[in-house]
């Protein structure tokens, strides 16, 4: 962009700077991943017989497919809750004074500063039979017997939504902050109501943030082993727990490896849907 | 750990030296490594077993490296010729896996001063059992006025929505299912009656916890009032003021042998033997039996006392009568199929 004449193109950098990290990833991420894939191509637990048996077992078994489906659905539910609850906060952030902005940022970041185990245990206290919700409802006389909240899909979604909320809110705040506030005024002065302004101007322009937030929240919530197992309990089986069971308790590493690869591919598919939407939205936002 | 420039430099130099002189391997010079379990086990071993061992062996250096059984097996498996662990501690299921994969040495029984004093069930030639873990009925005495006496009490209609169990990932969950199957005419080889009984238990089930630790916290939350539970875990909760009581059911409390093994190819074989001897010593077992540890001893020379004598057994003879030992060889054969079945059938 600069008008100064330059001997070389200053906007491009050598890839050398990325080499240390690239090497690190190659040794500690790509290599183990390949090893995992290699392991998954064996039909027996000792890893002696080659074959696609583990994949066939998973893909022809309605139970395993059910676990995969319910995990992907869980991610979608959590992402939806985070988006619906997180968007107003991000929107508000752009419209309040600097003092309130600090407060909002603090509230958004606070969960990140606490260990996920602590946050999850707090939810056990909140959702339990004698927890805050049940105690309040009972003292108000709204219910006679405590509601079952812990160890339900509802409980897992709510707890995960809170735990992962910052991953949604932060990209939204950034995206909304980049929108020129004059556009709002322009839209209003041209006769559009505030809802119409929101749907035609703010939402399309914030789509990159929405996509980024959704991708992060989705990936984090379907792999959240601790929250899923503590709030969901031992009978609600999601992919991370299924994997752990096969690898750790049963020592069936090839099947566990196949589960990981299938899970990885499923997540990649969902994430690539998000990124495709993101690319389309860029065209839309620019129009 | 604090990393300063000097320690970083030392580490780098050491690593470099080890690279340059491969003979200078860590294994020959390293202290004895004992992989105990995490949590209360680690505390008990740090406070009692380690000092006793060091006192008897001229302050020999040793390190506690607490980890789960499955991790111990994985680590030793990854470096069989030069294992990073010298002494392993195992629940009955993983112990058989370790023996089956040829990771442990037979215990030098003839050299041992204490092996012959262990009660018969604890005398395992591939690695003796220095402690028992005991599973019985746990209940909240504030909610359950008449103490339960049998596993069958869990099915009582008054406990509708108040019962907690764990899934079969844990030794506790699997052992309990086998016991339920036995109560209804099954065995280690046939747990069908156990699964049928679980089906009937569904109306009473408030929670299927992911692990025994999570089960214990459910008492704290009032989420459950009665469950199968581990004697030691309950004592810890009780000491923290949670209203829980442990009772051995009349069918017998389930006893798991916690066995201790010398790792094959250990560079510290002699010290490993000495550490295990210390764990079998009546003095060490007596200290570990007393509060706050309350670990059930296996040496018949230890006189039972305190809470263990009150709720479990007054002496070895009574212990043998009240404890039920299970055939984990048979259990391991079918365990994966049971876990699969539990995954599919138990939805509440």
């Amino acid at each position: 962009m600069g008008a100064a004449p330059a001997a070389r193109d200053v906007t491009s950098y050598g890839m050398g700077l990325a080499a240390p990290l690239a090497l690190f990833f190659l040794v500690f991420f790509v290599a183990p991943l390949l090893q995992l894939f290699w392991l998954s191509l064996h039909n027996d637990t000792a890893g002696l017989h080659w074959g696609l048996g583990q994949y066939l077992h998973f893909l022809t078994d309605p139970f395993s497919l059910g676990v995969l489906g319910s995990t992907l659905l869980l991610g979608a539910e959590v992402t939806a809750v985070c988006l619906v609850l997180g968007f107003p906060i991000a929107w508000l952030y752009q419209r309040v004074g600097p003092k309130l902005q600090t407060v909002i940022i603090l509230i958004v970041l606070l969960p990140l500063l606490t260990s996920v185990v602590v946050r999850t245990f707090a939810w056990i206290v909140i959702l339990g039979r004698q927890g805050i919700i049940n105690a309040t409802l009972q003292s108000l006389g709204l219910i006679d017997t405590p509601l079952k909240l812990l160890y339900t899909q509802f409980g897992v979604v709510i707890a995960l939504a809170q735990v992962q909320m910052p991953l949604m809110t932060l990209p939204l705040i950034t995206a909304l902050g980049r929108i020129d506030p004059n556009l709002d005024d322009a839209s209003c002065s041209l006769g559009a109501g505030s809802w119409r302004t929101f749907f035609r101007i703010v939402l399309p322009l914030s789509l990159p943030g929405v996509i980024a937030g959704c991708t992060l929240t989705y990936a984090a919530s379907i792999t959240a082993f601790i929250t899923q197992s503590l709030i969901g309990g031992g009978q609600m089986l999601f992919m991370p727990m299924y994997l752990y069971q096969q690898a750790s308790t049963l020592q069936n590493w090839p099947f566990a490896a196949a589960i990981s690869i299938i899970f990885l591919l499923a997540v990649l598919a969902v994430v690539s849907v998000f990124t495709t939407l993101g690319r389309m939205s860029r065209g839309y936002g620019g129009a | 750990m604090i990393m300063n420039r000097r320690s970083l430099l030392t580490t780098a130099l050491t690593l470099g030296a080890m690279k340059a002189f491969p003979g200078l391997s860590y294994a020959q010079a390293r202290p004895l490594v004992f992989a105990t379990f995490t949590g209360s086990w680690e505390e008990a071993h740090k406070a009692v077993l380690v000092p006793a061992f060091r006192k008897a062996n001229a302050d020999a250096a040793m390190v506690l490296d607490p980890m789960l059984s499955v991790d111990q097996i994985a680590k030793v498996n990854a470096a069989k010729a030069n294992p990073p662990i010298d002494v392993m501690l195992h629940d009955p299921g993983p112990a058989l896996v370790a023996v089956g994969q040829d990771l442990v040495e037979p215990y030098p029984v003839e050299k041992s001063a204490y092996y012959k004093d262990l009660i018969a069930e604890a005398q395992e030639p591939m690695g003796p059992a220095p402690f028992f873990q005991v599973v019985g009925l746990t209940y909240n005495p504030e909610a359950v006025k008449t103490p339960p006496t049998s596993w069958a009490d869990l099915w009582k209609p008054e406990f509708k929505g108040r019962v907690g169990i764990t899934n079969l990932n844990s030794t506790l969950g699997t052992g309990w299912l086998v016991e339920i199957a036995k109560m209804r005419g099954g065995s280690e080889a046939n747990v069908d009656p156990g699964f049928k009984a679980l089906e009937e238990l569904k109306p009473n089930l408030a929670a299927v916890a992911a692990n025994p630790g999570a089960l214990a916290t459910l008492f704290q939350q009032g989420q459950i009032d009665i469950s199968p539970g581990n004697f030691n875990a309950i004592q810890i909760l009780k000491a923290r003021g949670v209203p829980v009581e442990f009772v051995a059911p009349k069918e017998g409390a389930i006893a798991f042998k916690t066995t201790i093994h010398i790792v094959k190819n250990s560079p510290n074989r002699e010290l490993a033997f000495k550490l295990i001897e210390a764990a079998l010593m009546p003095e060490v077992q007596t200290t570990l039996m007393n509060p706050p540890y309350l670990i059930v001893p296996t040496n018949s020379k230890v006189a039972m006392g305190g809470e263990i004598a009150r709720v479990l057994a007054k002496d070895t003879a009574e212990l043998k009568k009240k404890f039920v030992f299970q055939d984990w060889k048979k259990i391991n054969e079918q365990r994966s199929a049971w876990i699969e079945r539990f995954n599919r059938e138990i939805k509440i």
Side-chain angles (χ1 to χ4, degrees):
Chain A
M1 313 268 166
R8 62 185 181 92
D9 186 1
V10 291
T11 56
S12 77
Y13 299 95
M15 296 302 281
L17 285 176
L21 188 63
L23 192 71
F24 185 82
F25 273 148
L26 204 66
V27 174
F28 294 107
F29 182 69
V30 178
L33 197 63
L34 288 177
Q35 201 185 358
L36 193 75
F37 181 62
W38 180 84
L39 191 64
S40 73
L41 295 174
H42 289 86
N43 284 345
D44 60 327
T45 45
L48 297 173
H49 303 285
W50 291 87
L52 292 170
Q54 310 293 355
Y55 290 94
L56 278 176
H57 175 135
F58 189 97
L59 295 171
T60 54
D61 175 21
F63 173 76
S64 301
L65 290 175
V67 174
L68 179 62
S70 66
T71 311
L72 296 180
L73 182 69
L74 175 76
E77 288 175 358
V78 174
T79 310
V81 171
C82 280
L83 184 61
V84 170
L85 297 179
F87 205 101
I89 298 175
W91 190 82
L92 199 66
Y93 177 86
Q94 302 300 344
R95 276 156 189 79
V96 294
K99 250 197 199 132
L100 266 178
Q101 277 194 338
T102 320
V103 174
I104 291 180
I105 269 293
L106 191 71
I107 293 174
V108 168
L109 284 182
L110 213 52
L112 281 184
L113 306 178
T114 335
S115 144
V116 72
V117 180
V118 175
R119 276 183 278 162
T120 302
F121 265 98
W123 275 103
I124 295 181
V125 178
I126 295 169
L127 298 172
R129 272 179 69 94
Q130 297 168 359
I132 298 168
I133 296 179
N134 273 320
T136 313
L137 289 179
Q138 272 180 313
S139 67
L140 291 174
L142 291 173
I143 49 169
D144 295 325
T145 48
L147 298 173
K148 188 177 169 180
L149 301 169
L150 202 59
Y151 288 14
T152 60
Q153 175 96 4
F154 171 79
V156 179
V157 171
I158 293 299
L160 270 177
Q162 190 267 337
V163 168
Q164 315 294 2
M165 188 66 87
L167 298 179
M168 178 65 88
T169 327
L170 292 177
L172 282 179
I173 286 179
T174 319
L176 286 173
R178 275 205 297 253
I179 301 175
D180 187 346
N182 287 327
L183 290 177
D184 271 14
D185 301 341
S187 168
C188 287
S189 69
L190 288 171
S194 32
W195 282 110
R196 198 174 147 129
T197 304
F198 176 77
F199 282 112
R200 299 297 295 272
I201 310 290
V202 178
L203 192 60
L205 285 175
S206 68
L207 267 183
V210 172
I211 305 284
C214 285
T215 313
L216 288 174
T217 317
Y218 189 83
S221 52
I222 54 173
T223 51
F225 178 74
I226 296 171
T227 311
Q228 286 172 5
S229 58
L230 285 180
I231 307 284
Q235 83 287 359
M236 283 177 73
L237 198 60
F238 297 109
M239 288 296 271
M241 189 54 157
Y242 195 30
L243 224 169
Y244 172 80
Q245 211 178 49
Q246 296 295 329
S248 202
T249 315
L250 298 176
Q251 303 266 311
N252 189 355
W253 289 9
F255 188 52
I259 295 179
S260 326
I261 299 288
I262 291 170
F263 192 34
L264 184 70
L265 290 178
V267 176
L268 279 180
V270 173
V271 169
S272 64
V273 168
F274 281 135
T275 32
T276 316
L277 284 177
R279 210 168 299 135
M280 282 160 59
S281 77
R282 227 171 292 149
Y284 181 47
Chain B
M1 191 170 89
I2 295 167
M3 268 283 190
N4 56 29
R5 206 176 48 187
R6 185 160 299 160
S7 74
L8 204 64
L9 200 66
T10 322
T11 314
L13 279 177
T14 316
L15 283 174
M18 276 164 68
K19 197 86 205 149
F21 310 101
L24 190 77
S25 110
Y26 183 49
Q28 276 133 17
R30 73 168 162 78
L32 180 75
V33 177
F34 172 32
T36 173
F37 297 154
T38 49
S40 55
W41 288 92
E42 183 193 357
E43 281 171 38
H45 288 159
K46 197 187 273 170
V48 181
L49 180 56
V50 175
F53 162 78
R54 299 195 60 188
K55 203 175 141 207
N57 294 287
D59 271 347
M62 75 161 291
V63 176
L64 284 179
D65 191 5
M67 63 185 101
L68 296 172
S69 274
V70 283
D71 295 336
Q72 297 178 23
I73 291 176
K75 276 201 175 181
V76 172
N77 240 331
K80 276 186 191 168
N82 187 10
I85 300 168
D86 300 304
V87 181
M88 295 200 275
L89 192 66
H90 285 310
D91 274 1
L96 286 167
V97 173
V99 172
Q101 296 185 351
D102 197 24
L103 303 180
V104 304
E105 287 200 358
Y107 194 66
V109 175
E110 65 292 342
K111 261 176 34 185
S112 169
Y114 307 108
Y115 187 84
K116 58 181 188 325
D117 296 335
L118 300 182
I119 67 171
E121 281 78 5
Q123 297 193 6
E124 290 279 346
M126 290 309 286
F131 323 104
F132 286 138
Q133 291 180 62
V134 184
V135 171
L137 280 162
T138 307
Y139 64 99
N140 175 349
E142 285 172 9
V144 181
K145 293 297 175 206
T146 23
T149 56
S150 156
W151 293 121
D153 287 350
L154 295 173
W155 278 260
K156 279 187 178 169
E158 64 195 81
F159 296 132
K160 186 166 180 293
R162 309 303 304 136
V163 176
I165 59 173
T166 79
N167 63 20
L168 305 188
N169 284 6
S170 61
T171 308
L172 192 160
T174 306
W176 179 75
L177 177 68
V178 169
E179 219 41 46
I180 295 308
K182 281 185 178 169
M183 195 175 79
R184 303 236 178 159
S187 69
E188 279 94 343
N190 171 25
V191 293
D192 273 351
F195 274 104
K196 287 207 187 78
L198 270 185
E199 196 60 41
E200 293 164 29
L201 187 64
K202 276 184 186 173
N204 280 11
L205 278 185
V208 181
N211 56 60
L215 187 65
T217 58
L218 293 176
F219 277 99
Q220 246 164 329
Q221 305 305 327
Q223 191 80 11
I224 55 173
D225 288 334
I226 185 165
S227 81
N230 183 304
F231 176 75
N232 289 89
I234 295 315
Q235 299 312 318
I236 292 168
L237 273 191
K238 211 174 149 181
R240 308 236 155 109
V242 180
V244 279
E245 280 295 342
F246 178 96
V247 60
K250 65 169 192 266
E251 293 85 4
I254 313 168
F256 301 126
K257 290 174 245 189
T258 310
T259 47
I260 189 162
H261 308 266
I262 303 176
V263 177
K264 201 162 202 166
N265 299 327
S266 152
N268 292 316
R269 199 166 308 168
E270 194 51 38
L271 283 176
F273 169 71
K274 291 275 170 55
L275 176 72
I276 297 178
E277 284 291 287
L280 303 180
M281 256 162 64
E283 295 80 5
V284 169
Q285 294 208 352
T286 306
T287 317
L288 286 175
M289 183 187 67
N290 291 327
Y293 311 112
L294 298 167
I295 294 173
V296 183
T298 58
N299 191 318
S300 57
K301 295 263 165 74
V302 177
M304 304 279 185
E307 188 72 6
I308 291 180
R310 192 175 74 80
V311 297
L312 291 178
K314 279 182 258 325
D315 51 41
T316 317
E318 193 186 358
L319 183 144
K320 277 189 179 166
K321 251 191 304 184
K322 282 178 88 172
F323 282 13
V324 183
F325 291 91
Q326 298 173 329
D327 183 351
W328 276 83
K329 209 165 199 156
K330 282 237 174 64
I331 292 176
N332 270 8
E333 280 167 17
Q334 297 187 57
R335 192 169 175 197
S336 62
W338 299 347
I339 289 183
E340 196 105 309
R341 184 167 170 190
F342 190 93
N343 281 347
R344 280 158 214 257
E345 290 183 6
I346 309 304
K347 298 253 184 271
I348 53 168

